[in-house]
């Protein structure tokens, strides 16, 4: 079942965790909001796939980087499952961020050596 | 994550997904889509929710592998449900595996016990008999006197040797004397055998001559296994021995009841049999070359103890013990290995056919969101479950099989060496189970791997795939079927030729009447009745005492046919090239009437002539035809060259016995060399010519002869109180034990295997055909709707399998004809017999027809409407 190539980037393994943690830095959010936020912020470049989002959320919870609780939403009478960053999660975000930076710099040095020299 | 919170966790995930799906839907509606469109768009955006659920659940368990456990539970549940829906398939698989494993492990256990590890002795595989061959086809065991034995022991090619004499002795000092087989062994014997005793100790050079070690068998039967036998006296031939030990069950050297030390005197005339063990790394050939000059020197010292111009030949103890049966066991092993291959092939066919049939299901599950690994593990679980059940059944059957073999061979104590301990061989059992389980697992996983590669649309597009089945899968199955049929033919031929042999034996014309005929053997006490006239008279006294029993019709001196008569060199006076060997038997004049053998010409000798040792002989018809094809043998003189001119301690010679006998009569032929062998020329001479210390009384009873033992013992006791009487041997026992029992054992095993193979082949054929029909139901329905005749349909679906069956049958028949020489060597059967081959082919084709009837009828009765609708 070959799929047609779509103009979307596949997330690097592990990157999604970082993006989710970063999104939660603004405050608690439920799964839908997190997905939409990432999608919107990247101008739809990163199309959120639910197939990866929910496993990622549950993985983060399992590791204790986020907590989850069913709470009432601001406007509606409905309850949503809100994810909240924990102290451990904040530290993890810093770690992942610095790793990502190193990674990006390393890639850049290989890809655009001239820019680096000047 | 605790497993009992699973349900809670699931509900939570469900709620979360639901809530987000609703949000997505609302969002789409706000963009102006209708509610129906919005729901669909939301679902599309979410993608495969089953997969999301599954992958999310997997993250819960990352730390401790819950998911895997959970999957296994689900898979097992699903597999069990599959099997209960498809019972026939599951049962066929489990039975095939179980029977294959069980049969192979059983036969291999016997082979291991009998051929590979039969003896408990140290270095048993290097233990040999030293046979001396001259022109005589039956060799002598090497016998040496004391000094010679000590010389031989030192030979650098040998790793120890023992001297031994086996005597039949009387257990005296009890109410009625009992006859025991006592082995006198040189004092180094137990060191040589290297087997520790079960109780007490074994004798060594430090012990005197009056100690005895009991065999396990005798200890159990005579002393009921009591521990306090140690130190008790054992009276043999009126001499006291002290029991010092009991041997373990597997020590059964020479079938002895008791073992006592052999005192080698310095008397050079006192000789004993010698057995040896070759040194490690020395080949038999090298040992023979090294021993020959040594034995030649001995022969120069004591020429009377050696045959002339002999060659020494080493024969391993196992060869002596089982002889030609080894070949039969090897063929059995090959057959049963074929059977295991067949079982594996059958399982492969079943699994592949089923895998093909499940392509649609697998594609469907994939479309519904099952991951590739998930599908493969699911199918693997199914095949592992099946093979585990098959393996378990196989293990049970192996134990049952070994038990059955023990029961079958119980009446044939000499079939296997006495030391052989037949029990289930665990490593082999595990190996067999392993092989077939691996087959099942591989064949079970194959469709899964294939299916996970094929696309959904390819499979679901029933238009192309439902027509004639995929070529690749079908070719594999057809070749497997061909192989199955060929092997089945081979096994059927094997079984057929053993049954043929058995039938021939059953219908053999014995030449005498075995009904109620039996014999007892007696050994006169050592040193008693040592004068010729006394011994001749003593034998006659015993005979007439037994004949006087009211339940005895008649009694004679002389052994039953087929019981240990050795060939004797013969020459005919007045004939030049007329040397050869005949079977010579020492009998009295009652022998022929007791056995009911007809006198064809001439006359019998009289009692009076027996008593005085007349030089008369009766010959059988075979001898008459061989040496006097056109002439009358009566009055001719024959010379029996059995070297009896000088008597020994145990063999007395009639005065004036010059080995020349005058033929006075011709009697009918008696099968005297084996039920399946031509009658050998035979000479009967009066027992009084060379009375041995042991003799045999044959008698015909009015009732079951075996029930007369006690009566006979009492009659003998009245003549000589210390005379022990051996077991009663019936003529039926002799025939059974000789070869009939062995052949029927072999024939029943081969036949069982052949029919198992046939069942496997039939089940393979059946499953292939049903699968083909099932797969083509739609196509066949269309064709019937378009006017195809039912007979055409039947022909269509059976053609491919029929080609395989015919090819396989042809290959099998060609192979068995090609191998007929091998068969003949091993089983005495004729694999080239056209009648046999026709019967075998007939059986196979009938089975193939039976197996095809079901699927063919299904194909013929396809209802076109139904077929098109169900798809």
């Amino acid at each position: 079942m070959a799929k047609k190539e779509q103009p979307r980037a596949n997330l690097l393994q592990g990157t999604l965790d970082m993006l989710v943690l970063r999104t939660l830095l603004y405050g608690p959010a439920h799964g839908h909001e997190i997905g939409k936020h990432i999608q919107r912020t990247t101008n739809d470049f990163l199309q959120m796939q639910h197939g990866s989002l929910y496993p990622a959320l549950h993985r983060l919870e399992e590791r204790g980087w986020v907590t989850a609780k069913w709470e009432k939403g601001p406007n509606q009478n409905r309850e949503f499952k809100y994810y909240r960053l924990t102290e451990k999660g904040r530290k993890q975000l810093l770690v992942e961020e610095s790793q990502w930076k190193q990674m990006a710099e390393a890639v850049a040095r290989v890809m655009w050596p001239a820019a680096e020299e000047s | 994550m605790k497993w009992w919170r699973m349900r809670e966790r699931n509900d939570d995930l469900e709620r979360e997904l639901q809530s987000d799906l609703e949000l997505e839907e609302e969002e789409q509606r706000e963009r102006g889509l209708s509610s129906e469109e919005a729901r669909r768009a939301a679902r599309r955006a979410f993608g495969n929710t089953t997969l999301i659920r599954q992958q999310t659940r997997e993250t819960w368990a990352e730390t401790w592998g819950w998911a895997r456990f959970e999957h296994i539970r689900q898979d097992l549940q699903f597999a069990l449900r599959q099997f209960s829906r498809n019972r026939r398939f599951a049962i066929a698989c489990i039975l095939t595996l179980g029977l294959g494993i069980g049969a192979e492990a059983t036969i291999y256990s016997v082979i291991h016990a009998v051929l590979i590890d039969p003896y408990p002795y140290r270095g048993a595989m290097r233990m040999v008999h030293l046979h001396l061959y001259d022109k005589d086809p039956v060799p002598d065991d090497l016998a040496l006197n004391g000094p010679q034995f000590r010389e031989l022991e030192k030979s650098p090619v040998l790793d120890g040797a023992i001297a031994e004499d086996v005597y039949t002795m009387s257990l005296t000092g009890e109410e009625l004397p009992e006859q025991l087989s006592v082995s006198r062994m040189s004092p180094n014997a137990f060191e040589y055998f290297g087997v520790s005793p079960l109780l007490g100790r074994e004798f060594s050079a430090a012990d005197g001559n009056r100690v005895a070690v009991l065999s396990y068998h005798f200890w159990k039967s005579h002393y009921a296994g009591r521990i306090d036998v140690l130190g008790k006296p054992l009276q043999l031939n009126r001499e006291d021995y002290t029991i010092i030990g009991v041997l373990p069950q597997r020590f059964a050297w020479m079938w002895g009841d008791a073992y006592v030390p052999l005192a080698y005197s310095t008397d050079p005339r006192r000789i004993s049999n010698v057995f040896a063990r070759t040194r490690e790394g020395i080949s038999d050939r090298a040992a023979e070359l090294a021993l020959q000059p040594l034995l030649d020197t001995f022969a120069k010292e004591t020429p009377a103890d050696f045959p002339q111009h002999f060659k020494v030949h080493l024969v391993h103890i196992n060869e002596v013990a089982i002889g030609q049966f080894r070949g039969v066991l090897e063929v059995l092993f090959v057959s049963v290995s074929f059977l295991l291959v067949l079982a594996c092939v059958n399982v492969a066919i079943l699994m592949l056919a089923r895998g093909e049939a499940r392509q649609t299901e697998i594609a469907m599950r994939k479309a519904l969101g099952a991951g590739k690994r998930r599908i493969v593990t699911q199918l693997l679980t199914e095949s592992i479950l099946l093979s585990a059940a098959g393996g378990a059944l196989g293990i049970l059957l192996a134990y049952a099989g070994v038990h059955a073999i023990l029961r079958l061979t119980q009446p044939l104590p000499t079939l296997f060496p006495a030391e052989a301990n037949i029990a289930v061989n665990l490593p082999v059992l595990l190996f067999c189970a392993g092989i077939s389980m691996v087959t099942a697992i591989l064949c079970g996983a194959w469709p899964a791997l294939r299916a996970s590669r094929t696309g959904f649309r390819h499979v679901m597009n029933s238009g192309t795939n439902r027509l004639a089945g995929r070529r690749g899968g079908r070719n594999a199955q057809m070749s497997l079927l061909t192989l199955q049929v060929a092997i089945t033919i081979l096994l059927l031929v094997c079984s057929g030729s053993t049954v043929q042999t058995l039938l021939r034996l059953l219908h053999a014309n014995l030449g005498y009447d075995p009904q109620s005929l039996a014999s007892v053997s007696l050994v006169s006490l050592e040193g008693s009745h040592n004068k010729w006239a006394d011994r001749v008279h003593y034998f006659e006294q015993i005979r007439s005492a037994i004949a006087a029993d009211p339940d005895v019709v008649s009694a004679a001196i002389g052994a039953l046919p087929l019981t240990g008569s050795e060939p004797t060199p013969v020459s005919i006076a007045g004939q030049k090239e007329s040397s050869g060997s005949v079977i010579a038997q020492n009998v009295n004049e009652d022998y022929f009437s007791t056995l009911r053998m007809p006198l064809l010409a001439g006359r019998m000798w009289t009692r009076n002539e027996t008593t005085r040792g007349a030089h008369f002989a009766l010959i059988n018809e075979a001898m008459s035809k061989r040496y006097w094809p056109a002439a009358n043998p009566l009055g001719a003189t024959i010379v029996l060259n059995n070297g009896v001119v000088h008597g020994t301690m145990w063999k007395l010679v009639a005065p004036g016995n010059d080995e020349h006998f005058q033929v006075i009569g011709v009697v009918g032929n008696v099968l005297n060399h084996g039920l399946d062998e031509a009658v050998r020329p035979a000479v009967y001479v009066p027992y009084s010519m060379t009375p041995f210390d042991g003799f045999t009384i044959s008698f015909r009873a009015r009732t079951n002869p075996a029930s007369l033992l006690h009566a006979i013992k009492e009659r003998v006791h009245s003549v000589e109180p210390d005379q022990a009487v051996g077991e009663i041997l019936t003529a039926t026992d002799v025939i059974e034990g000789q070869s009939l029992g062995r052949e029927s054992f072999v024939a029943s095993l081969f036949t069982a295997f052949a029919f198992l193979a046939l069942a496997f082949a039939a089940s393979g054929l059946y499953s292939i055909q049903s699968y083909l029909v099932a797969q083509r139901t739609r196509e066949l329905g269309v064709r019937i709707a378009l006017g195809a005749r039912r007979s055409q349909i039947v022909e269509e679906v059976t053609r491919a399998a029929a080609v395989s069956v015919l090819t396989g049958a042809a290959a099998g028949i060609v192979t068995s004809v090609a191998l007929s020489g091998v068969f003949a060597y091993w089983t005495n059967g004729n694999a080239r017999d056209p009648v046999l081959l026709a019967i075998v082919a007939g059986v196979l084709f009938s089975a193939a027809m039976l197996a095809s009837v079901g699927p063919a009828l299904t194909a013929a009765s396809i209802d076109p409407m139904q077929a098109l609708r169900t798809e």
Side-chain angles (χ1 to χ4, degrees):
Chain A
M1 277 206 301
K3 271 183 199 153
K4 268 186 194 160
E5 219 30 65
Q6 284 164 344
R8 279 181 199 152
N10 276 326
L11 282 173
L12 272 170
Q13 188 75 40
T15 322
L16 181 61
D17 289 5
M18 180 177 75
L19 297 183
V20 170
L21 290 175
R22 180 63 185 82
T23 308
L24 288 177
L25 207 56
Y26 297 118
H30 53 75
H32 189 249
E33 282 174 346
I34 297 171
K36 285 287 158 195
H37 176 261
I38 295 174
Q39 206 169 317
R40 233 174 279 131
T41 326
T42 62
N43 287 331
D44 284 352
F45 179 72
L46 291 179
Q47 189 85 26
M48 275 322 295
Q49 288 190 345
H50 295 77
S52 6
L53 179 61
Y54 290 98
L57 283 171
H58 285 253
R59 186 163 54 236
L60 295 179
E61 190 185 350
E62 200 70 26
R63 291 179 185 167
W65 296 338
V66 301
T67 53
K69 207 175 172 192
W70 287 87
E71 286 168 25
K72 286 235 165 69
N75 308 323
Q76 291 137 305
N77 273 343
R78 276 156 65 183
E79 278 196 338
F80 296 106
K81 189 175 181 186
Y82 277 99
Y83 291 90
R84 222 176 286 271
L85 206 56
T86 62
E87 206 40 51
K88 225 171 141 191
R90 263 176 232 279
K91 277 182 197 148
Q92 180 63 21
L93 179 58
L94 289 178
V95 172
E96 295 205 2
E97 206 179 333
S98 78
Q99 275 176 355
W100 174 256
K101 242 186 229 157
Q102 282 174 9
M103 171 81 171
E105 279 164 16
V107 170
R109 248 176 250 132
V110 176
M111 297 304 292
W112 306 284
E116 188 66 20
E117 273 164 32
S118 62
Chain B
M1 175 61 207
K2 303 280 192 307
W3 63 267
W4 58 85
R5 282 183 53 208
M6 199 67 189
R7 183 170 293 274
E8 209 177 301
R9 210 53 191 260
N10 266 328
D11 290 345
D12 182 76
L13 176 65
E14 217 46 56
R15 191 174 160 199
E16 183 178 11
L17 288 174
Q18 190 56 41
S19 125
D20 284 2
L21 199 60
E22 277 167 22
L23 280 176
E24 181 79 36
E25 211 177 307
E26 279 163 27
E27 219 166 80
Q28 300 285 356
R29 248 201 315 273
E30 279 162 21
R31 282 199 203 158
L33 292 175
S34 76
S35 62
E36 183 57 29
E37 276 171 320
R39 180 170 308 135
R40 254 188 289 166
R43 287 210 175 272
R44 221 173 15 246
F46 250 71
N48 188 336
T49 46
T50 320
L51 199 58
I52 295 177
R53 272 183 213 119
Q54 195 182 320
Q55 286 174 349
T56 310
R57 272 188 218 124
E58 272 163 19
T59 66
W60 297 345
E62 261 179 0
T63 39
W64 60 288
W66 162 258
R68 204 160 300 149
F69 191 68
E70 173 65 14
H71 282 168
I72 290 172
R73 197 188 58 80
Q74 284 175 2
D75 285 348
L76 282 176
Q77 216 168 29
F78 185 74
L80 288 177
R81 225 176 297 141
Q82 280 285 329
F83 296 154
S84 64
R85 252 186 50 197
N86 246 306
R87 244 173 245 144
R88 241 186 310 180
F89 163 77
I91 290 175
C93 273
I94 293 172
L95 272 184
T96 303
L97 282 172
L99 289 170
I101 296 169
E104 171 86 3
T106 302
I107 294 302
Y108 192 83
S109 296
V110 172
I111 298 220
H112 184 90
V114 174
L115 294 186
I116 297 174
D117 180 29
Y119 299 105
Y121 316 132
R122 180 171 66 83
M125 287 335 224
R126 288 180 281 123
M127 285 184 170
V128 291
H129 289 242
L130 299 148
H131 281 171
L132 304 184
Y133 274 94
D134 55 357
K135 275 181 243 147
D136 189 348
V138 175
D140 294 327
D141 256 318
L142 176 68
L144 298 176
N145 63 30
Q148 288 169 338
F149 170 67
R150 272 181 280 277
E151 186 94 6
L152 179 90
E153 239 190 327
K154 286 185 230 145
S155 166
V157 293
L158 296 183
D159 172 21
I162 55 162
E164 180 192 40
D165 280 323
V166 179
Y167 287 87
T168 302
M169 292 173 95
S170 289
L171 177 66
T172 47
E174 302 188 12
E175 195 192 340
L176 282 179
E178 199 174 322
Q179 190 170 297
L180 298 190
S181 169
V182 177
S183 162
R184 288 183 185 165
M185 303 195 292
S186 47
N188 66 336
F190 285 108
E191 190 194 323
Y192 171 81
F193 285 118
V195 177
S196 350
L198 186 70
L199 281 183
R201 61 187 183 85
E202 291 155 339
F203 59 73
S204 64
D207 288 292
N209 288 335
R210 290 284 175 260
V211 292
V213 178
L214 305 184
S215 78
Y216 180 86
H217 168 78
F218 179 63
W219 174 59
K220 277 282 178 197
S221 65
H222 196 82
Y223 293 98
R226 285 201 316 267
I227 293 175
D228 60 7
V229 292
L230 296 181
K232 288 240 165 98
L234 180 74
Q235 203 185 67
L236 296 171
N237 288 2
R238 293 242 168 262
E239 279 170 354
D240 274 331
Y241 293 77
T242 309
I243 299 171
I244 58 166
V246 175
L247 292 165
Q249 192 167 11
R250 283 184 70 195
F251 191 105
W253 180 255
M254 296 286 162
W255 309 88
D257 290 314
Y259 300 86
V260 301
L262 170 75
Y264 250 133
S265 64
T266 43
D267 180 1
R269 280 175 307 171
R270 187 86 169 84
I271 59 173
S272 300
N273 285 333
V274 173
F275 303 91
R277 176 168 48 220
T278 55
R279 194 167 289 285
E280 201 145 22
I282 302 278
S283 76
D284 290 0
R285 231 32 70 222
E288 283 166 8
L289 282 177
L291 290 174
Q292 184 72 40
L294 185 64
L295 298 180
D296 284 336
T297 352
F298 294 162
K300 269 186 209 118
E301 293 166 21
T302 52
D305 299 338
F306 289 85
Q308 285 186 324
H309 311 298
F310 66 91
K311 283 272 169 286
V312 65
H313 185 62
L314 303 191
V315 183
H316 288 261
I317 52 176
N318 206 28
E319 300 292 331
V320 175
I322 63 167
Q324 217 207 353
F325 199 58
R326 169 188 211 107
V328 175
L329 282 180
E330 280 162 359
V331 181
L332 266 179
F333 181 61
V334 172
S335 312
V336 85
S337 304
F338 272 147
L339 202 65
L340 185 65
V341 171
L342 271 187
C344 292
V345 169
N346 208 34
V347 169
I349 288 180
L350 287 168
M351 289 282 188
L352 294 182
R354 182 143 165 74
E356 287 287 328
R358 287 178 72 180
Q359 290 295 313
T360 319
E361 176 209 327
I362 292 168
M364 183 74 84
R365 290 176 59 198
K366 226 175 115 184
L368 290 177
K372 171 177 167 177
R373 272 187 52 188
R374 200 68 187 75
I375 293 178
V376 173
T377 40
Q378 159 69 55
L379 290 190
L380 269 180
T381 309
E382 283 189 35
S383 40
I384 289 172
L385 196 64
L386 274 183
S387 56
L393 180 66
I395 288 169
L396 284 182
L397 287 180
Y399 279 91
V402 166
H403 187 74
I405 294 256
L406 286 177
R407 273 241 316 265
L408 264 176
T409 56
Q410 205 170 24
L412 309 166
T414 54
L415 194 59
F416 302 132
E419 293 89 343
N421 178 24
I422 298 178
V424 172
N425 187 285
L426 211 57
V428 168
L429 182 59
L430 295 181
F431 171 77
C432 297
I435 278 201
S436 29
M437 286 167 76
V438 165
T439 313
I441 291 166
L442 287 183
C443 293
W446 178 81
L449 292 172
R450 210 173 63 82
S452 58
R453 270 187 275 114
T454 44
F456 172 68
R457 205 177 308 155
H458 175 66
V459 176
M460 295 306 268
N461 265 354
S462 43
T464 51
N465 202 49
R466 294 276 130 160
L467 273 178
R470 288 178 49 266
R471 280 266 158 223
R474 219 178 71 190
N475 283 345
Q477 287 171 24
M478 287 303 169
S479 344
L480 287 177
L481 182 63
T482 311
L483 177 68
Q484 254 194 331
V485 170
I487 293 179
T488 305
I489 286 271
L490 273 179
L491 289 181
L492 281 172
V493 167
C494 238
S495 131
S497 64
T498 54
V499 169
Q500 245 182 350
T501 309
L502 181 65
L503 288 179
R504 205 163 48 230
L505 293 185
L506 280 173
H507 296 127
N509 180 14
L510 295 171
Y512 61 95
D513 179 7
Q515 193 62 40
S516 301
L517 187 66
S519 72
V520 282
S521 60
L522 305 97
V523 178
S524 57
L525 276 182
E526 230 178 333
S528 70
H529 307 290
N530 263 345
K531 296 283 170 290
W532 175 79
D534 175 31
R535 187 174 281 185
V536 170
H537 177 65
Y538 178 59
F539 288 5
E540 173 56 28
Q541 265 185 308
I542 299 276
R543 187 204 68 80
S544 52
I546 292 174
D549 191 282
D551 281 330
V552 171
V553 181
S554 69
I557 296 170
L560 293 177
L562 299 174
T563 56
S565 34
E566 289 188 1
T568 307
V570 74
S571 56
I572 316 287
Q575 289 192 19
K576 268 188 186 162
E577 323 157 42
S578 55
S579 58
S581 75
V582 295
I583 289 176
Q585 276 194 278
N586 299 323
V587 301
N588 85 335
E589 64 285 350
D590 298 306
Y591 187 76
F592 309 97
S593 57
T594 302
L595 266 72
R596 299 191 177 139
M597 293 163 59
L599 179 72
L600 303 177
R603 67 170 185 98
M604 307 275 181
W605 59 75
T606 64
R607 183 144 309 173
N608 187 23
E609 284 162 345
T610 308
T611 322
R612 71 179 163 85
H615 291 59
F616 288 153
L618 288 170
I619 61 173
N620 69 355
E621 208 183 343
M623 172 127 185
S624 169
K625 285 209 174 112
R626 161 84 173 74
Y627 292 100
W628 296 274
N632 184 357
L634 298 183
T637 299
I638 59 175
V639 185
L640 291 177
N641 259 320
N642 45 10
V644 294
V645 182
H646 312 291
T648 62
M649 280 177 62
W650 55 88
K651 185 161 73 178
L652 304 180
V653 177
N657 183 353
D658 56 0
E659 302 190 314
H660 286 59
F661 296 88
Q662 191 192 356
V663 177
I664 59 165
V666 179
V667 291
N669 281 340
V670 163
L671 285 184
N672 54 12
H673 193 63
L675 297 181
D676 207 23
E677 307 268 343
V679 175
R680 288 284 179 93
V683 174
Y684 301 89
V685 298
Y687 76 93
S688 50
M689 298 310 290
T690 48
F692 285 73
D693 57 351
F695 61 107
T696 304
I697 306 284
S698 296
F699 63 96
R700 189 176 298 279
R702 275 179 228 286
T703 57
N704 174 16
S707 66
L708 293 181
L709 182 59
H710 195 75
I712 288 178
K713 276 186 174 172
E714 289 197 326
R715 298 246 160 212
V716 171
H717 192 63
S718 68
V719 177
E720 167 69 84
D722 280 347
Q723 178 63 59
V725 177
E727 296 294 306
I728 290 201
L729 182 66
T730 66
T732 331
D733 284 344
V734 174
I735 297 165
E736 285 278 321
Q738 180 65 27
S739 44
L740 200 58
R742 192 190 87 175
E743 291 300 334
S744 62
F745 169 69
V746 171
S748 52
L749 279 187
F750 272 116
T751 307
F753 293 160
F755 279 92
L756 262 185
L758 193 64
F760 287 169
S763 104
L765 180 64
Y766 175 84
S767 46
I768 286 183
Q769 294 206 331
S770 338
Y771 152 69
L772 277 181
V773 170
Q775 206 190 26
R776 296 175 63 184
T777 302
R778 180 178 166 141
E779 177 217 343
L780 296 175
V782 170
R783 293 174 57 174
I784 291 173
L786 292 178
R789 271 178 291 117
R790 305 275 174 178
S791 59
Q792 275 176 319
I793 298 293
V794 169
E795 192 199 315
E796 180 91 5
V797 293
T798 48
R799 192 192 300 133
V803 168
S804 291
V805 170
L806 286 174
T807 320
I813 287 177
V814 168
T815 316
S816 55
V817 168
L819 290 180
S820 62
V822 183
F823 278 141
Y825 172 70
W826 271 329
T827 65
N828 303 325
N830 180 7
R832 221 177 256 206
D833 180 6
V835 178
L836 171 66
L837 292 177
I839 292 175
V840 163
V843 167
L844 183 92
F845 291 136
S846 325
M849 296 283 272
L850 273 179
S852 310
V853 164
L857 283 182
T858 316
S861 59
I862 288 171
D863 176 3
M865 294 312 291
Q866 197 78 36
L868 294 176
R869 229 180 279 134
T870 43
E871 279 298 310

